[in-house]
Every structure is written in structure tokens, then in C-alpha cells.
Amino acid sequence: MILSYVYKLRPSGSQSVKMESWLNMLRSHYNWCLADRIETYRQQFIQGAYCNLRTSSEAYPLTCCIVKNGATGNPWQNSGKKRNAGTIQDAGLVDLKAARPWYKSIDSDVLQRNIARLNTAYKNFFDGRGFPAFKNRSNFRSFEYKPGRVKFKGVLVYLPKIGWMRFFNSRPIPDGFAIRSVTIRRRTDGWFISVRLEDKSVPMATPRPTSEVKTAVGLDMGLTRLVHCSDGSDIPNPRFATNQKTKRTLSIRQRRVSRAKKGGHNRKKRVAEVAKLHSKIANRRNAGRRQVANKLVKKADAIVVEDLNVQGMVRRCKPKPDEGTGRFLANGQSAKRGLNRSILDASWGELISKIQYVAEKSGKVLLKVDPRNTSRECSACGHIDKANRDRERFICTECGHFDHADKQAARNIKHKAVVEYGLKLIKVPTDCGKPKQLCLFETPSTELTVSKRRKSGAQSSKRRVPGNLGRQLELFPQGI
Ligand SMILES: [Zn+2]
């Protein structure tokens, strides 16, 4: 079983200065290695002899590039085997430390892991992801130790070449788990250490095969409510970044940044304020999503979601040029911007990945289905029509089936999974004998709720919160 724990570090002043300087050096090392690989790769296409402009030495293509995505250095091992780019650059670390002695202050494992990071970036590229990017201050914030180098003792952690450092021991490392890799990361609110723990004797919970799934729940993600479940329940959308209060605070803080003098100390402070708010929002969202995921996974053996393409949904509108004047016409982007922000704030993808994590841990399974027509199809007769849906209402134009649009979509999603994955579900009797819908339409009388509140207030012996209930009743006198 593999776990990953994150702790907040409490470095001393000199320790945080040291880590900061390590990050700067490692970043420039990473960028140099990347540039080196790009350069040597290009050299293989040069025909004949050429001279290097910088060193004005003559070079021949056959002596230059031997390995794909190569690196400058000896391409052969002592054993006669070929080196790959990563091992060439590993061997080059000796030269680097000789030429730039300040790199000696960095632990050699950390330097090697830095090259390994570039190897991973290249591996991802060959797997079809993007080409490795040059890093700047904002996207290069971490370094890594190899397994077995870092020691934990109470509230202290030993980091090689940095020393013993205090940390907030928020939860103990469970017995029997070995420390795999350790990553130190700088965030806006301080330094953090994330530890990967592994216990080989504990197997990972095996996901249930789809043939054994007894119950399933379909989820429809939305904005007015975050999730609608096929069992009729829903979960509210807290809008962590796009609620009125946060939007206002953010715009005030951003305005303060723009009014501060560029390059000044005050501007730095104002930027830090904006970053702090963003990290606060991220923390809240993270915690909220985790709670929701735990709640949803408890519902059934299989959790069914739509395979959404969020990136495609938030794409910008195409610019619309006016052929006569060469200027640009309105293309609806400014109207879409708010929607895009709401979609990104809802972070459905993050919720799905959290659900997947919790599901895997508890031996349940996450199923994805094609999102096509889930909100247009009638769950009663299967009729597909765009006109079926009128915002939140769903009325089938064929059979007259009436339902809440999103709940209906959730039911369709569940049904799709049953068909696509061949699930054999059993019927679960509902807890209440009365159908839920009937309760929904019953409007409780005011007198009843008032007496209920008074009663509960007296029983709990807490201070009764008066609210404005009395005043509200006065506003609407009985005579009218
Ligand atoms: Zn119908």
C-alpha cells in the first residue's frame, strides 16, 4: 500500500535561505540540462564539418550526437555500453561542481533527482504529452531526496546537507511503512515536506470487478448544485472562488497590486496578499472536495460519472473579424468568461479524481460513460430531443414524463453504465415507506415550524437564537 503524507516544515531563518538558494541553483541546472538536450538533438541534423560560434572549435556530426535526445559528454560507459542522456548528465555533475563550486553545497542525490525529473518530463513527452518546458520561479518550487536519506524523529526531520529541522507532526507515520521518496516544496504559506510511504506486506485494495457490482449511483455534475445523484439527493456548490465575498476580496487585493509602484517593496507585499487568498481558496476547495468524495463513495459499489472534457468546455470563443473594417466583432467571450470561471471553480475533474482515490482505497469502482445526450434523453421512454429540456425542468415531448432536469440526467448516466458495462444490479428497498417526492410538495405551516423551533431551543438548553422571526411575523399582519 502506498500513502502520501504532507507535513508543514518549520525551518530556521538560515535553513529557509539555504533551501531558497538550492531552488534557484536547481532551476538553472534543470534549464541548462534541457537546453543541452535540445541543442545536441539538433546537431545530428547538421551535415559536414561546422564550427561552434561560441568556442570557434571545429566539430564533426559523427562525433557529436550518438544518443537520441542526447547530452554533451562521453556517450560510452566504461563497460562499453551506451549511456542515455540522463546518465551522461549524471556523469557531468562532477564537471559542474568543478566549474561552479557553489553547487557543492547541494546534496548530490538532490542534483541527480533533478536530472531524473527531466527524464520523467521527456518520458511523458514520448508518451504523447507536451514537450518539457523551461522553468521559472513560479513553476519550479520543489526538490526531491532519494529513499532512505531522510530520517524522522519526533518533531524533527533530518534533511541531508540542511540538517535537523522542526516540523508540525500532524499525524504519525503508521508502523511498518518505509519512507520511499521525499519532496520538499515551497508554497505561498511556507515550506512543506511530502513523504511517500510504502508497506509491501499490505496489498492495495483490489477494485471490484464490474460483474460483482450490486449497487450503482449516477452523478451529474452541475453549477447550481455541485452534484445531483441518481437516488434523488444532491450536494450544494459552495463556489469557493466565485462567491460574492471572495470575488470582492480578490478584486480589492488585485487592485492594490496594480496601484502599487512596480518593483517596490509594497508591491511584493500586495502580491503576497493575493497569493495568500488563492492558496486559502485552494485549501478550502481541497478539503470540501474530499468530504464530498467520501460521502459519494459510501452510496454504492460503483460510482458512475460522465467522461467530461472540461478543457474543451472552457475554451475561448473564436475571434470574429469584420471583413470590411478589419476590426473585431463581439464574439460572446465576455459573456462566457463568467461561466468559464464558474466551471473551473466547480473543479469537476478534481472531484472525480478524489472520488477515484477514495473508491480505490475502499475497493469500489469508478465508471465513466459517454456524456452525449445524457441531459436530453427521456429516462422513461428513451426519446432524445433538445426541446425536452427547459432549463431546470425536463418535460418529454413524446410521453410527457416530467422531472428535474439534472436528476433525470443522473438517472440516465446510471442507466448508461448498466448498459455499457453490463452491470447486474439488485434492487435496494428505500428506507422510508413514503415516496420522497410527496414530502417535497407538502408545505409545512408556519405555526408548526415556530413551535418546533421553540421546543428544540428549550430542550437543548443552549441560548435561543432569536433571529428576526418575530419581526417578520409583524411585517405581515393577519388582517391582510
Ligand atoms: Zn419520454
Side-chain angles (χ1 to χ4, degrees), residues 453-465:
R453 267 187 215 175
R454 291 219 172 116
K455 209 174 155 194
S456 64
Q459 274 170 356
S460 62
S461 77
K462 272 184 192 163
R463 194 177 72 90
R464 211 190 295 151
V465 184

Side-chain angles (χ1 to χ4, degrees), residues 266-278:
N266 273 323
R267 195 178 174 101
K268 260 186 202 164
K269 286 184 217 160
R270 301 290 94 86
V271 169
E273 277 173 10
V274 173
K276 197 177 171 187
L277 184 62
H278 277 302

Side-chain angles (χ1 to χ4, degrees), residues 29-97:
H29 176 233
Y30 182 94
N31 286 339
W32 184 87
C33 287
L34 177 56
D36 184 34
R37 290 191 193 191
I38 293 169
E39 190 54 38
T40 32
Y41 175 75
R42 280 185 186 149
Q43 279 177 11
Q44 70 178 310
F45 300 112
I46 296 166
Q47 298 293 314
Y50 72 100
C51 81
N52 189 326
L53 281 178
R54 218 181 274 160
T55 58
S56 35
S57 63
E58 206 176 17
Y60 295 92
L62 278 179
T63 57
C64 285
C65 197
I66 289 165
V67 279
K68 196 178 163 197
N69 71 66
T72 323
N74 182 5
W76 308 105
Q77 283 176 3
N78 290 340
S79 61
K81 270 194 192 163
K82 232 190 217 177
R83 279 178 168 147
N84 62 25
T87 40
I88 292 175
Q89 288 182 337
D90 271 349
L93 285 175
V94 182
D95 297 335
L96 172 77
K97 283 178 193 169

Side-chain angles (χ1 to χ4, degrees), residues 194-213:
S194 61
V195 192
R196 259 175 103 73
L197 303 163
E198 191 180 18
D199 190 352
K200 285 200 176 120
S201 62
V202 184
M204 285 297 276
T206 45
R208 202 173 295 216
T210 45
S211 58
E212 277 179 31
V213 168

